[in-house]
Amino acid sequence: MFDKDRFHNQLALNLGYQRIVNDKRINICIDDEQYSDDVMISIKIDGFSSPICYKVSEGLSQNGLDCLDENGYDDIKIIIDAVHQAYIQANKAF
């Protein structure tokens, strides 16, 4: 079973205070109510026409990653990797 509280805590650790609070160009929304056993991630970026949305268990599609590469959003790829790592760590058995 997916532990949403553990995921939230791990994501905060992975991203760090600076990225979450001080980087006003990036807004990360976590919808943990839409799906009972998953989390929907929405990353809104200044200068990007639409938010990047995906279920954390599925990750971002290759097409979405390619779009980030084309537009030079390396910092967003770091966030996406941090989200993925938080998901893995939240699902590890104790």
Side-chain angles (χ1 to χ4, degrees):
M1 175 121 193
F2 181 66
D3 187 334
K4 292 178 184 179
D5 289 332
R6 194 168 172 202
F7 171 74
H8 284 264
N9 292 337
Q10 191 61 50
L11 183 58
L13 287 171
N14 287 6
L15 292 177
Y17 179 82
Q18 294 294 329
R19 174 123 13 222
I20 294 172
V21 175
N22 293 337
D23 193 344
K24 301 299 183 199
R25 300 173 305 123
I26 301 167
N27 184 9
I28 304 167
C29 297
I30 302 169
D31 180 355
D32 61 2
E33 295 179 5
Q34 188 172 358
Y35 301 99
S36 62
D37 60 346
D38 208 343
V39 174
M40 180 66 79
I41 301 293
S42 176
I43 303 172
K44 297 177 185 173
I45 309 140
D46 285 352
F48 208 70
S49 60
S50 60
I52 300 165
C53 301
Y54 60 97
K55 286 170 61 174
V56 72
S57 64
E58 296 173 3
L60 189 60
S61 70
Q62 186 60 47
N63 188 34
L65 290 171
D66 290 344
C67 183
L68 293 174
D69 283 339
E70 292 170 5
N71 292 298
Y73 288 106
D74 292 333
D75 52 343
I76 304 307
K77 290 179 77 173
I78 292 168
I79 292 171
I80 290 168
D81 184 55
V83 169
H84 181 68
Q85 291 304 316
Y87 176 75
I88 291 170
Q89 292 161 344
N91 284 309
K92 281 184 181 177
F94 292 100

